[in-house]
Every structure is written in C-alpha cells, then in structure tokens.
Amino acid sequence: MEYVEWKNFRRALPKIDRKLFDNMFSISVLYNSACVCCVNPIRIQPIIMSILFQHYKELSKISKELEANKEIKASNKLMDE
C-alpha cells in the first residue's frame, strides 16, 4: 500500500534513479518480521527504519573494512622500512 502511495514520487525521478528507488524500497522486505512487531499506525515509519537500518549495517561493514585496510597498509609500511 505504501509503495503505491509513492508511485508519483517514483515517476518524477529520472529513469536511472527509479531502479535505485525500487531497490531501496524493497529493503523493507528484509525486516518484515521486525516491522510487524512495530505497533504504529503510520505505515511508512517501519519502512524507513528498515531502509536506515540496512544502510547503517552496510556503512558499518564498509567502515570496518576500511579500518582493516588502514591497518594492513600501516603494517606494510613498517615492514618496508
């Protein structure tokens, strides 16, 4: 139901962004079971929280990978000296 309400927004996006919007909106499906536990009359809130949570998880993973790469580069510099 919520996706239908956002169709006009989607149509107003450039064509290349529509696929990204669809992908972003579909993230909420990953957390349907958690969303069901959210007793909230505003349907968009669990969807937004699902999207935010997934992006937070991805950013955390990327951050850890970057930190690990920095440590590897630092240890390689020490070995080169």
Side-chain angles (χ1 to χ4, degrees):
M1 287 172 51
E2 196 67 35
Y3 185 78
V4 171
E5 290 182 23
W6 285 90
K7 285 250 182 194
N8 288 335
F9 176 85
R10 184 188 178 278
R11 279 190 214 113
L13 292 171
K15 284 188 178 187
I16 60 171
D17 289 342
R18 290 177 191 168
K19 178 84 171 154
L20 290 171
F21 177 81
D22 292 341
N23 290 342
M24 182 191 72
F25 217 90
S26 69
I27 289 171
S28 64
V29 175
L30 299 172
Y31 303 102
N32 274 346
S33 59
C35 290
V36 169
C37 295
C38 179
V39 182
N40 197 331
I42 302 171
R43 292 185 313 258
I44 192 69
Q45 287 180 346
I47 293 168
I48 291 171
M49 181 55 73
S50 297
I51 293 166
L52 287 172
F53 182 66
Q54 180 64 26
H55 288 166
Y56 178 79
K57 283 175 42 177
E58 291 174 14
L59 286 171
S60 294
K61 180 182 175 187
I62 291 168
S63 180
K64 288 178 186 175
E65 290 172 0
L66 285 173
E67 194 60 38
N69 285 340
K70 285 180 185 177
E71 290 174 9
I72 291 170
K73 286 181 181 181
S75 70
N76 286 343
K77 278 186 180 180
L78 289 174
M79 292 178 148
D80 289 342
E81 293 176 353

